[in-house]
Amino acid sequence: MNKFIAAEEEALLTTKDVAAYLNLSIAWFHCKAVSGGGIPYIKIGNRRLYKKQDVLDWLKNHAQKVRSTSEYKKEQGGEHE
């Protein structure tokens, strides 16, 4: 997680670094790479790299502030973690 926080906005980060910061599994990233709806990434060879600012933008647009689970609104398409 510290690697993500210390990185510059334009830095390219590995799936492992982003997953640790967001507390998501690497499997979630693999699934989203196939099905869509995940964080935009850059493909270099067989590696997926995520620009820090893209991760922060995605998080801003996909996070929900709630005080209880009754306030939670599922995204269309049945997205789950």
Side-chain angles (χ1 to χ4, degrees):
M1 181 163 79
N2 291 334
K3 189 171 183 179
F4 183 92
I5 293 169
E8 299 289 328
E9 287 183 6
E10 296 298 313
L12 295 175
L13 299 158
T14 65
T15 303
K16 182 179 176 182
D17 294 329
V18 177
Y21 176 72
L22 296 177
N23 197 29
L24 293 171
S25 69
I26 291 183
W28 182 90
F29 287 85
H30 294 317
C31 179
K32 292 299 179 182
V34 172
S35 66
I39 302 167
Y41 60 89
I42 296 166
K43 185 85 169 162
I44 299 176
N46 64 350
R47 297 179 69 200
R48 261 179 286 177
L49 299 171
Y50 298 85
K51 191 178 353 173
K52 180 179 180 177
Q53 189 57 55
D54 288 343
V55 174
L56 296 173
D57 291 344
W58 181 89
L59 185 59
K60 181 180 176 182
N61 291 321
H62 290 83
Q64 296 181 41
K65 280 189 174 183
V66 296
R67 292 178 296 259
S68 74
T69 56
S70 64
E71 295 177 347
Y72 178 74
K73 295 178 185 167
K74 287 190 177 184
E75 292 185 29
Q76 291 184 9
E79 186 170 321
H80 48 85
E81 295 177 34

